[in-house]
Amino acid sequence: MSTNPRQPILDFMQSIHSQGVDCQSCVGHCCTSIANSMQITVQETWDIYSYLQKNHLMNEELIQKLKDNVTQFRLDKDLSLGKKSILRRTYTCPFYNGHNLGCQLPTEIKPYGCLAFNPATEAVSEVGHCRSEVAALEACDVQAKARNVELQAKLGVTWDKKPIPVALLDFHMRKISVELH
């Protein structure tokens, strides 16, 4: 078993990319409110937040961008019943830069669901021709589960998944220290 929980997805991505199936010609609708409803775990939030902190990117400009994103897409309005989400709001990811291969986050810290969502055929250019690689995503989740539970306990976080901007703002408001890792 790999120590990198993303490895099953990365292996899958490598296999399809070697066959010419990639996102090179796509505008990235999967990152926009057209199709994105990504929610991330505490582990995934930790990965992104740590990266942002260590690279001095968790600054006032990004914090305001995250807040604006939450407000614009009403991500602070909970649509769940208990721990089970019944509906997910769509939103444009705050890390989407508006064009193909548009994520500002490096592959090694991207959310598992983002990595697992790939074209089904060559030369995909729009939403509707992609799918989630469920088997790789499930393998990834199995590997990350223990670390997620450990982080929840260590950080005092009670939620399982939240939209990316909501999760990052939660960490910011808690003044999470990246030295915990």
Short mmCIF file of all heavy atoms in Angstrom, two decimals, residues 100-159:
data_model
loop_
_atom_site.label_atom_id
_atom_site.label_comp_id
_atom_site.label_asym_id
_atom_site.label_seq_id
_atom_site.Cartn_x
_atom_site.Cartn_y
_atom_site.Cartn_z
N ASN A 100 -8.16 26.13 -19.70
CA ASN A 100 -7.82 24.71 -19.60
C ASN A 100 -6.63 24.51 -18.66
O ASN A 100 -5.77 25.36 -18.52
CB ASN A 100 -7.56 24.10 -20.97
CG ASN A 100 -6.41 24.74 -21.71
OD1 ASN A 100 -6.11 25.90 -21.53
ND2 ASN A 100 -5.79 23.97 -22.56
N LEU A 101 -6.63 23.37 -18.03
CA LEU A 101 -5.65 23.06 -16.98
C LEU A 101 -5.60 24.22 -15.99
O LEU A 101 -4.54 24.67 -15.60
CB LEU A 101 -4.27 22.76 -17.58
CG LEU A 101 -4.23 21.60 -18.58
CD1 LEU A 101 -2.84 21.45 -19.16
CD2 LEU A 101 -4.70 20.31 -17.95
N GLY A 102 -6.79 24.66 -15.59
CA GLY A 102 -6.93 25.90 -14.86
C GLY A 102 -6.80 25.88 -13.36
O GLY A 102 -7.09 26.88 -12.73
N CYS A 103 -6.35 24.80 -12.76
CA CYS A 103 -6.22 24.77 -11.32
C CYS A 103 -4.87 25.35 -10.89
O CYS A 103 -3.83 24.98 -11.42
CB CYS A 103 -6.35 23.35 -10.79
SG CYS A 103 -6.33 23.29 -8.98
N GLN A 104 -4.91 26.22 -9.92
CA GLN A 104 -3.70 26.83 -9.40
C GLN A 104 -2.99 25.93 -8.39
O GLN A 104 -1.86 26.22 -7.99
CB GLN A 104 -4.02 28.17 -8.75
CG GLN A 104 -4.61 29.16 -9.72
CD GLN A 104 -5.16 30.39 -9.03
OE1 GLN A 104 -5.04 30.57 -7.84
NE2 GLN A 104 -5.78 31.26 -9.81
N LEU A 105 -3.64 24.84 -7.97
CA LEU A 105 -3.05 23.94 -6.98
C LEU A 105 -2.23 22.85 -7.67
O LEU A 105 -2.67 22.30 -8.68
CB LEU A 105 -4.14 23.27 -6.13
CG LEU A 105 -5.02 24.22 -5.31
CD1 LEU A 105 -6.13 23.43 -4.63
CD2 LEU A 105 -4.20 25.00 -4.30
N PRO A 106 -1.08 22.52 -7.12
CA PRO A 106 -0.28 21.44 -7.71
C PRO A 106 -0.96 20.08 -7.51
O PRO A 106 -1.72 19.88 -6.56
CB PRO A 106 1.05 21.51 -6.97
CG PRO A 106 0.82 22.33 -5.76
CD PRO A 106 -0.41 23.15 -5.99
N THR A 107 -0.69 19.18 -8.40
CA THR A 107 -1.30 17.84 -8.38
C THR A 107 -1.16 17.15 -7.04
O THR A 107 -2.11 16.52 -6.56
CB THR A 107 -0.67 16.97 -9.49
OG1 THR A 107 -0.85 17.64 -10.74
CG2 THR A 107 -1.32 15.60 -9.55
N GLU A 108 -0.03 17.29 -6.39
CA GLU A 108 0.22 16.54 -5.15
C GLU A 108 -0.65 16.99 -3.97
O GLU A 108 -0.67 16.31 -2.94
CB GLU A 108 1.69 16.56 -4.77
CG GLU A 108 2.28 17.93 -4.52
CD GLU A 108 2.83 18.61 -5.77
OE1 GLU A 108 2.67 18.10 -6.89
OE2 GLU A 108 3.44 19.69 -5.61
N ILE A 109 -1.40 18.08 -4.11
CA ILE A 109 -2.29 18.49 -3.02
C ILE A 109 -3.74 18.68 -3.46
O ILE A 109 -4.59 19.02 -2.66
CB ILE A 109 -1.78 19.77 -2.32
CG1 ILE A 109 -1.75 20.93 -3.28
CG2 ILE A 109 -0.46 19.55 -1.66
CD1 ILE A 109 -2.14 22.21 -2.64
N LYS A 110 -4.02 18.46 -4.73
CA LYS A 110 -5.40 18.61 -5.21
C LYS A 110 -6.32 17.64 -4.49
O LYS A 110 -5.92 16.53 -4.12
CB LYS A 110 -5.48 18.33 -6.71
CG LYS A 110 -4.97 19.45 -7.56
CD LYS A 110 -5.18 19.16 -9.02
CE LYS A 110 -4.51 20.23 -9.84
NZ LYS A 110 -4.75 20.06 -11.26
N PRO A 111 -7.58 18.03 -4.33
CA PRO A 111 -8.55 17.10 -3.73
C PRO A 111 -8.66 15.81 -4.54
O PRO A 111 -8.52 15.81 -5.77
CB PRO A 111 -9.86 17.89 -3.79
CG PRO A 111 -9.44 19.32 -3.76
CD PRO A 111 -8.16 19.35 -4.58
N TYR A 112 -8.90 14.73 -3.85
CA TYR A 112 -8.99 13.41 -4.48
C TYR A 112 -10.04 13.40 -5.58
O TYR A 112 -9.82 12.85 -6.65
CB TYR A 112 -9.32 12.33 -3.45
CG TYR A 112 -8.47 12.34 -2.21
CD1 TYR A 112 -9.02 12.06 -0.97
CD2 TYR A 112 -7.09 12.63 -2.26
CE1 TYR A 112 -8.24 12.06 0.17
CE2 TYR A 112 -6.32 12.63 -1.12
CZ TYR A 112 -6.90 12.35 0.10
OH TYR A 112 -6.13 12.35 1.24
N GLY A 113 -11.20 13.99 -5.30
CA GLY A 113 -12.28 13.99 -6.29
C GLY A 113 -11.93 14.75 -7.55
O GLY A 113 -12.35 14.38 -8.64
N CYS A 114 -11.14 15.81 -7.41
CA CYS A 114 -10.69 16.56 -8.59
C CYS A 114 -9.77 15.71 -9.45
O CYS A 114 -9.89 15.67 -10.67
CB CYS A 114 -9.97 17.84 -8.17
SG CYS A 114 -11.02 19.04 -7.33
N LEU A 115 -8.84 15.03 -8.78
CA LEU A 115 -7.90 14.18 -9.51
C LEU A 115 -8.59 13.01 -10.18
O LEU A 115 -8.21 12.59 -11.27
CB LEU A 115 -6.82 13.65 -8.56
CG LEU A 115 -5.84 14.69 -8.00
CD1 LEU A 115 -4.98 14.05 -6.92
CD2 LEU A 115 -4.99 15.30 -9.10
N ALA A 116 -9.63 12.48 -9.54
CA ALA A 116 -10.31 11.30 -10.06
C ALA A 116 -11.29 11.61 -11.18
O ALA A 116 -11.76 10.70 -11.86
CB ALA A 116 -11.06 10.58 -8.92
N PHE A 117 -11.59 12.88 -11.41
CA PHE A 117 -12.53 13.27 -12.46
C PHE A 117 -11.74 13.54 -13.73
O PHE A 117 -11.00 14.52 -13.83
CB PHE A 117 -13.31 14.52 -12.03
CG PHE A 117 -14.51 14.79 -12.87
CD1 PHE A 117 -15.66 14.01 -12.74
CD2 PHE A 117 -14.51 15.81 -13.80
CE1 PHE A 117 -16.78 14.26 -13.51
CE2 PHE A 117 -15.62 16.07 -14.58
CZ PHE A 117 -16.76 15.30 -14.44
N ASN A 118 -11.88 12.65 -14.70
CA ASN A 118 -11.06 12.69 -15.90
C ASN A 118 -11.89 12.47 -17.16
O ASN A 118 -12.99 11.92 -17.10
CB ASN A 118 -9.99 11.60 -15.82
CG ASN A 118 -8.94 11.93 -14.81
OD1 ASN A 118 -8.05 12.71 -15.07
ND2 ASN A 118 -9.03 11.33 -13.62
N PRO A 119 -11.33 12.86 -18.31
CA PRO A 119 -12.03 12.62 -19.58
C PRO A 119 -12.23 11.12 -19.82
O PRO A 119 -11.42 10.29 -19.40
CB PRO A 119 -11.08 13.19 -20.63
CG PRO A 119 -10.09 14.01 -19.91
CD PRO A 119 -10.05 13.51 -18.51
N ALA A 120 -13.30 10.82 -20.51
CA ALA A 120 -13.58 9.43 -20.87
C ALA A 120 -13.01 9.10 -22.25
O ALA A 120 -12.86 7.93 -22.60
CB ALA A 120 -15.08 9.18 -20.84
N THR A 121 -12.70 10.14 -23.03
CA THR A 121 -12.19 9.95 -24.39
C THR A 121 -11.11 10.99 -24.67
O THR A 121 -10.92 11.93 -23.89
CB THR A 121 -13.31 10.13 -25.44
OG1 THR A 121 -13.82 11.45 -25.34
CG2 THR A 121 -14.43 9.12 -25.24
N GLU A 122 -10.46 10.86 -25.80
CA GLU A 122 -9.46 11.85 -26.21
C GLU A 122 -10.12 13.16 -26.62
O GLU A 122 -11.28 13.17 -27.02
CB GLU A 122 -8.67 11.31 -27.41
CG GLU A 122 -7.79 10.13 -27.08
CD GLU A 122 -7.02 9.64 -28.31
OE1 GLU A 122 -6.53 10.48 -29.08
OE2 GLU A 122 -6.94 8.41 -28.47
N ALA A 123 -9.37 14.24 -26.53
CA ALA A 123 -9.75 15.57 -27.01
C ALA A 123 -11.06 16.10 -26.44
O ALA A 123 -11.83 16.75 -27.13
CB ALA A 123 -9.80 15.59 -28.54
N VAL A 124 -11.30 15.85 -25.18
CA VAL A 124 -12.49 16.39 -24.53
C VAL A 124 -12.33 17.89 -24.39
O VAL A 124 -11.27 18.38 -24.01
CB VAL A 124 -12.70 15.73 -23.14
CG1 VAL A 124 -13.73 16.48 -22.33
CG2 VAL A 124 -13.09 14.28 -23.29
N SER A 125 -13.39 18.63 -24.73
CA SER A 125 -13.29 20.09 -24.66
C SER A 125 -14.42 20.72 -23.84
O SER A 125 -14.43 21.93 -23.67
CB SER A 125 -13.28 20.69 -26.07
OG SER A 125 -14.49 20.38 -26.73
N GLU A 126 -15.35 19.93 -23.37
CA GLU A 126 -16.46 20.49 -22.59
C GLU A 126 -17.00 19.47 -21.60
O GLU A 126 -16.75 18.27 -21.72
CB GLU A 126 -17.56 21.00 -23.51
CG GLU A 126 -18.14 19.91 -24.38
CD GLU A 126 -19.13 20.45 -25.39
OE1 GLU A 126 -18.81 21.43 -26.06
OE2 GLU A 126 -20.21 19.86 -25.50
N VAL A 127 -17.76 19.98 -20.65
CA VAL A 127 -18.35 19.14 -19.62
C VAL A 127 -19.31 18.12 -20.26
O VAL A 127 -19.89 18.38 -21.30
CB VAL A 127 -19.07 20.01 -18.57
CG1 VAL A 127 -20.33 20.61 -19.12
CG2 VAL A 127 -19.36 19.23 -17.30
N GLY A 128 -19.42 16.98 -19.63
CA GLY A 128 -20.32 15.95 -20.12
C GLY A 128 -19.60 14.76 -20.73
O GLY A 128 -20.21 13.74 -21.01
N HIS A 129 -18.30 14.90 -20.93
CA HIS A 129 -17.53 13.82 -21.53
C HIS A 129 -16.47 13.30 -20.55
O HIS A 129 -15.47 12.74 -20.96
CB HIS A 129 -16.86 14.30 -22.82
CG HIS A 129 -17.85 14.80 -23.82
ND1 HIS A 129 -18.62 13.96 -24.59
CD2 HIS A 129 -18.23 16.06 -24.15
CE1 HIS A 129 -19.42 14.68 -25.35
NE2 HIS A 129 -19.20 15.95 -25.11
N CYS A 130 -16.72 13.51 -19.27
CA CYS A 130 -15.78 13.09 -18.23
C CYS A 130 -16.53 12.27 -17.19
O CYS A 130 -17.75 12.27 -17.15
CB CYS A 130 -15.15 14.32 -17.57
SG CYS A 130 -14.26 15.37 -18.73
N ARG A 131 -15.76 11.60 -16.36
CA ARG A 131 -16.36 10.80 -15.30
C ARG A 131 -15.36 10.63 -14.16
O ARG A 131 -14.16 10.78 -14.35
CB ARG A 131 -16.81 9.45 -15.84
CG ARG A 131 -15.65 8.59 -16.32
CD ARG A 131 -16.11 7.18 -16.69
NE ARG A 131 -14.96 6.42 -17.11
CZ ARG A 131 -14.70 6.04 -18.34
NH1 ARG A 131 -15.52 6.38 -19.31
NH2 ARG A 131 -13.63 5.35 -18.62
N SER A 132 -15.89 10.27 -13.01
CA SER A 132 -15.05 9.99 -11.85
C SER A 132 -14.59 8.54 -11.91
O SER A 132 -15.39 7.64 -12.20
CB SER A 132 -15.81 10.20 -10.55
OG SER A 132 -15.96 11.57 -10.31
N GLU A 133 -13.32 8.33 -11.65
CA GLU A 133 -12.77 6.99 -11.57
C GLU A 133 -13.01 6.50 -10.14
O GLU A 133 -12.19 6.72 -9.24
CB GLU A 133 -11.28 6.99 -11.94
CG GLU A 133 -10.62 5.65 -11.84
CD GLU A 133 -11.34 4.55 -12.61
OE1 GLU A 133 -11.89 4.79 -13.70
OE2 GLU A 133 -11.34 3.41 -12.11
N VAL A 134 -14.15 5.88 -9.94
CA VAL A 134 -14.63 5.52 -8.62
C VAL A 134 -13.69 4.53 -7.91
O VAL A 134 -13.41 4.69 -6.72
CB VAL A 134 -16.07 4.96 -8.68
CG1 VAL A 134 -16.54 4.51 -7.31
CG2 VAL A 134 -17.00 6.02 -9.26
N ALA A 135 -13.18 3.54 -8.60
CA ALA A 135 -12.31 2.54 -7.96
C ALA A 135 -11.05 3.19 -7.41
O ALA A 135 -10.64 2.92 -6.27
CB ALA A 135 -11.95 1.43 -8.95
N ALA A 136 -10.43 4.07 -8.18
CA ALA A 136 -9.22 4.75 -7.71
C ALA A 136 -9.55 5.70 -6.56
O ALA A 136 -8.80 5.81 -5.60
CB ALA A 136 -8.55 5.51 -8.85
N LEU A 137 -10.70 6.35 -6.65
CA LEU A 137 -11.12 7.26 -5.59
C LEU A 137 -11.38 6.50 -4.29
O LEU A 137 -10.97 6.94 -3.21
CB LEU A 137 -12.37 8.01 -6.04
CG LEU A 137 -12.87 9.14 -5.17
CD1 LEU A 137 -11.79 10.18 -4.93
CD2 LEU A 137 -14.09 9.80 -5.80
N GLU A 138 -12.02 5.36 -4.40
CA GLU A 138 -12.28 4.55 -3.20
C GLU A 138 -10.98 4.04 -2.60
O GLU A 138 -10.82 4.01 -1.37
CB GLU A 138 -13.22 3.39 -3.53
CG GLU A 138 -14.65 3.86 -3.75
CD GLU A 138 -15.58 2.77 -4.25
OE1 GLU A 138 -15.10 1.66 -4.65
OE2 GLU A 138 -16.80 3.02 -4.26
N ALA A 139 -10.02 3.63 -3.43
CA ALA A 139 -8.71 3.18 -2.92
C ALA A 139 -8.01 4.33 -2.20
O ALA A 139 -7.39 4.14 -1.15
CB ALA A 139 -7.85 2.65 -4.06
N CYS A 140 -8.12 5.50 -2.73
CA CYS A 140 -7.54 6.69 -2.14
C CYS A 140 -8.19 6.97 -0.78
O CYS A 140 -7.51 7.22 0.21
CB CYS A 140 -7.75 7.85 -3.08
SG CYS A 140 -7.25 9.43 -2.45
N ASP A 141 -9.51 6.92 -0.73
CA ASP A 141 -10.24 7.18 0.51
C ASP A 141 -9.88 6.19 1.60
O ASP A 141 -9.76 6.57 2.77
CB ASP A 141 -11.75 7.14 0.26
CG ASP A 141 -12.26 8.39 -0.45
OD1 ASP A 141 -11.54 9.41 -0.46
OD2 ASP A 141 -13.39 8.34 -0.99
N VAL A 142 -9.70 4.92 1.25
CA VAL A 142 -9.32 3.90 2.23
C VAL A 142 -7.99 4.25 2.87
O VAL A 142 -7.83 4.19 4.09
CB VAL A 142 -9.28 2.50 1.58
CG1 VAL A 142 -8.57 1.50 2.47
CG2 VAL A 142 -10.68 2.03 1.24
N GLN A 143 -7.03 4.65 2.05
CA GLN A 143 -5.71 4.99 2.56
C GLN A 143 -5.72 6.25 3.42
O GLN A 143 -4.94 6.38 4.35
CB GLN A 143 -4.71 5.16 1.42
CG GLN A 143 -4.41 3.85 0.72
CD GLN A 143 -3.28 4.02 -0.26
OE1 GLN A 143 -2.33 4.74 -0.02
NE2 GLN A 143 -3.37 3.31 -1.38
N ALA A 144 -6.59 7.18 3.12
CA ALA A 144 -6.61 8.47 3.82
C ALA A 144 -7.49 8.47 5.06
O ALA A 144 -7.37 9.36 5.90
CB ALA A 144 -7.08 9.56 2.87
N LYS A 145 -8.35 7.48 5.20
CA LYS A 145 -9.34 7.48 6.27
C LYS A 145 -8.74 7.60 7.67
O LYS A 145 -9.18 8.42 8.47
CB LYS A 145 -10.22 6.24 6.18
CG LYS A 145 -11.43 6.32 7.04
CD LYS A 145 -12.38 5.19 6.75
CE LYS A 145 -13.76 5.68 7.07
NZ LYS A 145 -14.79 5.11 6.28
N ALA A 146 -7.73 6.81 7.98
CA ALA A 146 -7.13 6.84 9.31
C ALA A 146 -6.51 8.21 9.60
O ALA A 146 -6.68 8.76 10.70
CB ALA A 146 -6.07 5.75 9.46
N ARG A 147 -5.82 8.77 8.64
CA ARG A 147 -5.21 10.08 8.83
C ARG A 147 -6.28 11.15 9.00
O ARG A 147 -6.13 12.08 9.80
CB ARG A 147 -4.31 10.42 7.64
CG ARG A 147 -3.63 11.75 7.74
CD ARG A 147 -2.61 11.81 8.85
NE ARG A 147 -1.95 13.11 8.82
CZ ARG A 147 -1.61 13.80 9.88
NH1 ARG A 147 -1.83 13.33 11.08
NH2 ARG A 147 -1.02 14.97 9.77
N ASN A 148 -7.39 11.02 8.30
CA ASN A 148 -8.49 11.98 8.42
C ASN A 148 -9.05 11.95 9.84
O ASN A 148 -9.25 13.00 10.46
CB ASN A 148 -9.58 11.66 7.40
CG ASN A 148 -10.52 12.82 7.22
OD1 ASN A 148 -10.12 13.93 6.92
ND2 ASN A 148 -11.80 12.56 7.45
N VAL A 149 -9.30 10.76 10.37
CA VAL A 149 -9.83 10.62 11.73
C VAL A 149 -8.84 11.18 12.75
O VAL A 149 -9.22 11.89 13.68
CB VAL A 149 -10.16 9.14 12.03
CG1 VAL A 149 -10.48 8.92 13.49
CG2 VAL A 149 -11.32 8.68 11.15
N GLU A 150 -7.57 10.90 12.54
CA GLU A 150 -6.52 11.42 13.44
C GLU A 150 -6.50 12.95 13.44
O GLU A 150 -6.43 13.59 14.50
CB GLU A 150 -5.16 10.88 12.98
CG GLU A 150 -3.97 11.38 13.75
CD GLU A 150 -2.66 10.94 13.12
OE1 GLU A 150 -2.60 9.82 12.57
OE2 GLU A 150 -1.71 11.73 13.17
N LEU A 151 -6.57 13.55 12.25
CA LEU A 151 -6.58 15.01 12.15
C LEU A 151 -7.84 15.62 12.76
O LEU A 151 -7.77 16.66 13.42
CB LEU A 151 -6.44 15.46 10.70
CG LEU A 151 -5.03 15.51 10.14
CD1 LEU A 151 -5.06 15.74 8.64
CD2 LEU A 151 -4.21 16.60 10.83
N GLN A 152 -8.99 14.99 12.55
CA GLN A 152 -10.22 15.50 13.14
C GLN A 152 -10.08 15.58 14.66
O GLN A 152 -10.44 16.59 15.27
CB GLN A 152 -11.41 14.60 12.79
CG GLN A 152 -11.93 14.80 11.39
CD GLN A 152 -13.05 13.84 11.06
OE1 GLN A 152 -12.89 12.62 11.18
NE2 GLN A 152 -14.17 14.38 10.62
N ALA A 153 -9.54 14.53 15.26
CA ALA A 153 -9.36 14.51 16.71
C ALA A 153 -8.33 15.54 17.16
O ALA A 153 -8.56 16.30 18.11
CB ALA A 153 -8.94 13.11 17.16
N LYS A 154 -7.21 15.60 16.48
CA LYS A 154 -6.13 16.51 16.85
C LYS A 154 -6.55 17.98 16.72
O LYS A 154 -6.18 18.81 17.56
CB LYS A 154 -4.90 16.25 15.99
CG LYS A 154 -3.66 17.00 16.42
CD LYS A 154 -2.48 16.63 15.57
CE LYS A 154 -1.90 15.34 16.07
NZ LYS A 154 -0.59 15.01 15.48
N LEU A 155 -7.33 18.29 15.70
CA LEU A 155 -7.71 19.68 15.43
C LEU A 155 -9.06 20.07 16.04
O LEU A 155 -9.44 21.23 16.00
CB LEU A 155 -7.76 19.92 13.91
CG LEU A 155 -6.46 19.65 13.15
CD1 LEU A 155 -6.69 19.80 11.65
CD2 LEU A 155 -5.35 20.57 13.63
N GLY A 156 -9.78 19.08 16.57
CA GLY A 156 -11.09 19.36 17.14
C GLY A 156 -12.15 19.68 16.09
O GLY A 156 -13.10 20.42 16.34
N VAL A 157 -11.98 19.10 14.90
CA VAL A 157 -12.91 19.33 13.79
C VAL A 157 -13.96 18.23 13.80
O VAL A 157 -13.63 17.05 13.88
CB VAL A 157 -12.14 19.33 12.44
CG1 VAL A 157 -13.09 19.40 11.27
CG2 VAL A 157 -11.14 20.48 12.41
N THR A 158 -15.23 18.62 13.73
CA THR A 158 -16.31 17.63 13.79
C THR A 158 -16.94 17.33 12.44
O THR A 158 -17.70 16.38 12.32
CB THR A 158 -17.43 18.12 14.75
OG1 THR A 158 -17.90 19.38 14.30
CG2 THR A 158 -16.91 18.24 16.18
N TRP A 159 -16.64 18.11 11.42
CA TRP A 159 -17.23 17.88 10.11
C TRP A 159 -16.44 16.83 9.33
O TRP A 159 -15.25 16.63 9.57
CB TRP A 159 -17.37 19.17 9.32
CG TRP A 159 -16.16 20.05 9.25
CD1 TRP A 159 -15.83 21.08 10.11
CD2 TRP A 159 -15.11 20.01 8.28
NE1 TRP A 159 -14.65 21.66 9.72
CE2 TRP A 159 -14.19 21.03 8.61
CE3 TRP A 159 -14.85 19.22 7.17
CZ2 TRP A 159 -13.04 21.28 7.86
CZ3 TRP A 159 -13.70 19.47 6.42
CH2 TRP A 159 -12.82 20.48 6.77
#
